[in-house]
Amino acid sequence: SISLQEACDIYDVRAALFGQAGRLCAERLSPEQVKDLKDLVTRMEKAAKAKDFESYYPLNLKLHEFIIDHSGNPVLAQHYRDLVKMLHLFRARSLVQGGGLAISNSEHREMVDAIAAKDGDLAHRAHFDHVMRARERLTHIEDHIDTKAKKVSR
């Protein structure tokens, strides 16, 4: 188990790595690979609209893995995966409790559009911001949980 502060620190590093992965994908992905990403986001949109977390979450993991795998940088991929393992429960909670399915997927669309445009700077920013917004959703949820707990204990 990790603390909220440790999770925030991990999100900071994860954002940097994911931003770089996005940049590398923008430089390297073929049109067929971009189509695969777009298809994945479309499937996620359907799950998000249905508020179907059980379908959405594995697709979310698959999207992130696709981007990391296709960055072409095995060192980046290994460090990213190590960080993600530590954050699994925090990531799931921010998607479920933070209203994060639709919000997260609109960010995914921005990321894929930047990759499709072959714009490394825009892809870096979209991927970095996606992780930092997830971090913000997580801290907002944790603050809300703490506030509720204090009210109950009074």
Side-chain angles (χ1 to χ4, degrees), residues 58-74:
L59 293 170
N60 180 60
L61 296 177
K62 187 174 182 176
L63 176 82
H64 284 250
E65 281 294 312
F66 185 100
I67 291 165
I68 292 301
D69 288 343
H70 289 83
S71 73
N73 185 322

Side-chain angles (χ1 to χ4, degrees), residues 133-151:
R133 287 181 194 129
R135 179 188 187 274
E136 288 171 19
R137 286 190 289 271
L138 173 68
T139 56
H140 177 74
I141 291 162
E142 294 298 321
D143 287 346
H144 183 71
I145 290 169
D146 286 347
T147 301
K148 275 187 162 181
K150 287 176 185 169
K151 285 180 182 176

Side-chain angles (χ1 to χ4, degrees), residues 33-50:
Q33 291 168 323
V34 171
K35 183 185 177 310
D36 291 343
L37 271 179
K38 287 182 176 183
D39 290 346
L40 192 52
V41 171
T42 299
R43 290 171 55 202
M44 294 170 74
E45 283 172 352
K46 289 177 185 170
K49 284 179 185 170

